[in-house]
Amino acid sequence: MSRAITLARIPEGVPQPGDFALVDATLPPVANDQLACVTRFISLDPYLRGVLSGRHLGHTLSIGEIVPGSCVAQVSASSSTEFAEGDWVVAESGWREAFVVPTNSVRKIALDLAPPSTALGVLGMPGLTAWAGITQLANVRAGETVLISAALGPVGSSAGQIAKLLGARVIGIAGGPEKCRKVEQHFGFDLCLDYKASDFAEHLASACPNGVDVYFDNVGGYVLECALSKLALKARVVLCGLIDQYNQSQRPPGPNLGPVIGARATLMGLVVYDFYPQFPEFLAQVGAWVKARKLTWLEDIAYGIEATPGAFCKLMSGNNFGKMLVAL
Ligand SMILES: NC(=O)c1ccc[n+]([C@@H]2O[C@H](COP(=O)([O-])OP(=O)(O)OC[C@H]3O[C@@H](n4cnc5c(N)ncnc54)[C@H](OP(=O)(O)O)[C@@H]3O)[C@@H](O)[C@H]2O)c1
């Protein structure tokens, strides 16, 4: 037996803990080429908000089903010679304390780079997203000005640090002075601007006197609109996420894309799935930076399976500080 979290009702607006239910789940016996695993960290990611409302391109979920998602787990029983008890793996097992999966559905974690939880952040899907946007789509070059929203999260913070390592000047955008301080001090951005401040637009203008060469957008809405008005000639804009809309049932009026045309800029949609074939290349470059501690991470950890809904609601209210995880 183990416990799991299911969807109790489809959230409206910002998710509430009551949208979820804690249930007992029975584990099947371990068959050939299967592993039994104990969850150590559950990854909470903004895309799950779309899954809960049936608005995600890759997943669907019905009421009563276990909420999906990635986790870091340890093997507790193995019928395969490839995996031993105690091995650390990444699995798409959802919000549950323990599970049994086919061996070919998990990825072993290299423990020589950083702690295992980073396989859900800087060295996992969010890190791959950041690396792909900065190096494969925007092709950031030394001396350029790069602007990044949701800068304290795992995608934004990794994107900013990678851009810095490539020689760019990096400006973050985050909600509130405390987050902005953390973006500058923990992640080494040149500057971070508070989009909740009434004079945000003026601060943005004075921070980018020659315009923005690359805008890596994680939020959409008002912040995107402000950033588009500051594009330099031949700017590139990576559209990575629209978290500003995820809690809304109606799509808000879109931003004015006129300045994109005026700046002859290129907008690029980023879907991380396209870059999984390049995962080894990503891990070689970013893993070396992480190992040398040239690139760091920040985790916001809640404890216990029963804390998972509350932690997800915290993420979707914008109150998380760094990669949102649940430790079991
Ligand atoms: N394209 C892809 O393939 C791909 C892959 C992975 C992630 N993404 C996207 O990348 C973005 C960042 O993801 P992440 O994992 O790094 O998460 P994250 O930054 O930790 O996400 C939560 C943060 O989003 C910000 N936010 C902005 N507007 C918000 C609003 N209206 N409501 C709630 N939060 C708001 C908040 O930070 P502030 O207080 O600083 O605003 C909040 O702390 C998300 O949009 C995600 O969907 C896309």
Side-chain angles (χ1 to χ4, degrees):
M1 291 294 290
S2 79
R3 292 180 302 167
I5 304 285
T6 59
L7 179 65
R9 64 173 181 229
I10 295 173
E12 281 178 28
V14 178
Q16 304 298 317
D19 299 330
F20 305 93
L22 178 66
V23 300
D24 289 325
T26 315
L27 290 179
V30 183
N32 269 351
D33 285 324
Q34 287 192 333
L35 303 171
C37 298
V38 177
T39 307
R40 298 300 182 206
F41 293 96
I42 294 172
S43 181
L44 300 178
D45 294 279
Y47 80 87
L48 286 170
R49 181 63 186 86
V51 175
L52 300 179
S53 305
R55 282 189 273 121
H56 189 265
L57 40 90
H59 298 75
T60 52
L61 183 68
S62 303
I63 287 173
E65 286 185 333
I66 295 176
V67 181
S70 308
C71 82
V72 156
Q74 273 189 290
V75 174
S76 56
S78 167
S79 64
S80 148
T81 50
E82 272 175 71
F83 292 89
E85 203 178 310
D87 279 353
W88 290 85
V89 295
V90 177
E92 295 300 314
S93 50
W95 296 6
R96 57 174 109 195
E97 289 177 317
F99 54 92
V100 173
V101 282
T103 49
N104 64 6
S105 70
V106 305
R107 180 172 61 82
K108 232 186 237 187
I109 299 172
L111 293 175
D112 58 325
L113 299 175
S117 60
T118 56
L120 300 172
V122 63
L123 292 178
M125 184 276 282
L128 175 64
T129 305
W131 175 84
I134 294 294
T135 69
Q136 309 294 294
L137 295 186
N139 191 18
V140 168
R141 295 179 286 265
E144 291 191 315
T145 296
V146 177
L147 182 68
I148 299 172
S149 54
L152 192 63
V155 174
S157 62
S158 302
Q161 292 180 90
I162 292 169
K164 283 269 339 155
L165 285 161
L166 296 174
R169 174 171 176 258
V170 179
I171 302 168
I173 300 173
E178 206 185 339
K179 282 192 177 186
C180 288
R181 244 190 327 275
K182 197 86 181 168
V183 169
E184 292 171 2
Q185 290 172 2
H186 188 77
F187 290 117
F189 283 41
D190 294 290
L191 187 66
C192 186
L193 306 173
D194 175 8
Y195 71 90
K196 293 181 176 167
S198 56
D199 50 2
F200 167 66
E202 291 88 75
H203 279 157
L204 182 60
S206 58
C208 319
N210 300 319
V212 171
D213 298 302
V214 172
Y215 176 49
F216 190 116
D217 186 43
N218 286 312
V219 299
Y222 166 68
V223 174
L224 172 60
E225 186 131 18
C226 291
L228 291 183
S229 70
K230 292 286 157 287
L231 296 179
L233 271 182
K234 306 286 172 80
R236 288 89 74 203
V237 176
V238 178
L239 296 179
C240 177
L242 292 168
I243 196 166
D244 191 41
Q245 296 179 12
Y246 293 175
N247 289 324
Q248 299 181 29
S249 50
Q250 300 289 330
R251 202 177 71 78
N256 171 19
L257 294 179
V260 181
I261 299 165
R264 284 77 159 168
T266 305
L267 291 183
M268 285 166 280
L270 197 171
V271 177
V272 66
Y273 305 147
D274 300 344
F275 294 93
Y276 274 99
Q278 283 159 271
F279 201 92
E281 192 187 336
F282 150 71
L283 205 55
Q285 185 168 31
V286 175
W289 283 330
V290 166
K291 192 172 184 183
R293 295 298 183 266
K294 287 181 176 173
L295 205 150
T296 189
W297 63 93
L298 183 69
E299 295 172 341
D300 188 341
I301 302 180
Y303 293 89
I305 186 85
E306 56 276 42
T308 310
F312 182 64
C313 299
K314 183 178 175 186
L315 171 75
M316 294 311 303
S317 315
N319 293 324
N320 62 312
F321 264 65
K323 170 66 199 170
M324 194 74 230
L325 296 169
V326 180
L328 274 65

